[in-house]
């Protein structure tokens, strides 16, 4: 219903033969659609403002033995970015503490320079952190923050193309008449 005439392409791209597969495909589609939507918005904002835009995808789940079903969730990155892991009673690991230091360094650099790499130009990062590239409309990627820290594609080519077409069509329908 959601995709109307695009439904056959979506179903081919995201096949599901039972409820479990359908739930997984819905999660993957939501993830991909959100990453592509953020990229499209950031690309347009960069063009409109002439200022770099930095996006990320945080995929580290807060260790929470009572609720493993939550996984990585919106705002789950906040304790990492603000070095607040000790405030929450969780079984933090060395990997969590390392990721928190990396996220906090990016945030500090961004607050000081407008660039998470800690530079005021496109020079290599001054801090030894993996380089966080600004969004560029010709490079559909985002920064992955989790077990891996570095650039990552938004989605595979078929899904990227689908979501770009679909979201641009929705935006065109919602645009005011000229």
């Amino acid at each position: 219903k959601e995709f109307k005439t695009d439904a056959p392409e979506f179903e081919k791209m995201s096949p599901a033969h039972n409820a479990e597969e359908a739930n997984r495909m819905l999660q993957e589609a939501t993830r991909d659609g959100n990453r592509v939507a953020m990229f499209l918005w950031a690309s347009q904002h960069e063009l409109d403002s002439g200022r770099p835009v930095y996006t990320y995808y945080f995929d580290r789940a807060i260790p929470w033995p009572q609720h493993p079903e939550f996984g990585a969730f919106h705002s789950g990155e906040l304790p990492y970015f603000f070095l607040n892991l000790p405030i929450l009673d969780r079984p933090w690991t060395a990997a969590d503490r390392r990721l928190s230091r990396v996220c906090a360094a990016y945030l500090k650099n961004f607050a000081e320079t407008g660039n998470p790499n800690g530079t005021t130009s496109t020079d290599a990062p001054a801090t030894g952190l993996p380089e966080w590239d600004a969004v560029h409309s010709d490079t559909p990627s985002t920064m992955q923050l989790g077990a891996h820290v570095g650039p990552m594609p938004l989605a595979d080519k078929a899904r990227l193309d689908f979501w770009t077409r679909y979201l641009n069509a929705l935006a065109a329908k919602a645009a005011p008449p000229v």
Side-chain angles (χ1 to χ4, degrees):
K1 289 179 185 179
E2 171 77 21
F3 300 110
K4 298 179 178 67
T5 59
D6 294 319
E9 181 182 359
F10 179 81
E11 288 174 345
K12 182 179 177 187
M13 186 177 59
S14 303
H17 302 95
N18 57 49
E20 185 178 318
E21 288 179 9
N23 186 43
R24 185 174 46 80
M25 297 296 359
L26 178 61
Q27 289 176 347
E28 288 178 14
T30 301
R31 176 204 64 206
D32 293 346
N34 286 337
R35 287 196 303 223
V36 173
M38 177 60 71
F39 171 76
L40 295 173
W41 172 87
S43 295
Q44 188 61 53
H45 185 71
E46 189 273 331
L47 288 172
D48 292 345
S49 71
R51 301 187 63 151
V53 178
Y54 299 89
T55 64
Y56 66 89
Y57 181 71
F58 191 89
D59 63 0
R60 180 87 175 168
I62 289 178
W64 197 351
Q66 298 84 350
H67 293 286
E69 73 275 13
F70 291 162
F73 57 88
H74 178 65
S75 77
E77 74 274 20
L78 295 178
Y80 291 84
F81 272 94
F82 293 105
L83 296 173
N84 285 336
L85 301 188
I87 293 173
L88 295 172
D89 183 20
R90 300 286 186 267
W92 303 110
T93 66
D96 290 303
R97 289 184 285 280
R98 194 169 32 257
L99 179 60
S100 183
R101 287 190 301 274
V102 166
C103 290
Y106 282 133
L107 182 61
K108 179 181 181 287
N109 289 342
F110 185 78
E112 289 176 347
T113 68
N115 182 329
N117 299 301
T119 60
T120 55
S121 67
T122 57
D123 296 336
T127 59
L129 296 167
E131 187 164 358
W132 186 333
D133 295 327
V135 170
H136 296 286
S137 60
D138 59 344
T139 309
S141 64
T142 191
M143 185 65 159
Q144 182 176 13
L145 298 172
H148 170 75
V149 175
M152 67 175 287
L154 302 174
D156 66 41
K157 180 160 176 29
R159 290 178 181 206
L160 175 65
D161 291 347
F162 173 84
W163 283 108
T164 300
R165 256 189 344 272
Y166 180 76
L167 293 166
N168 281 333
L170 281 182
K173 287 179 189 173
V178 179

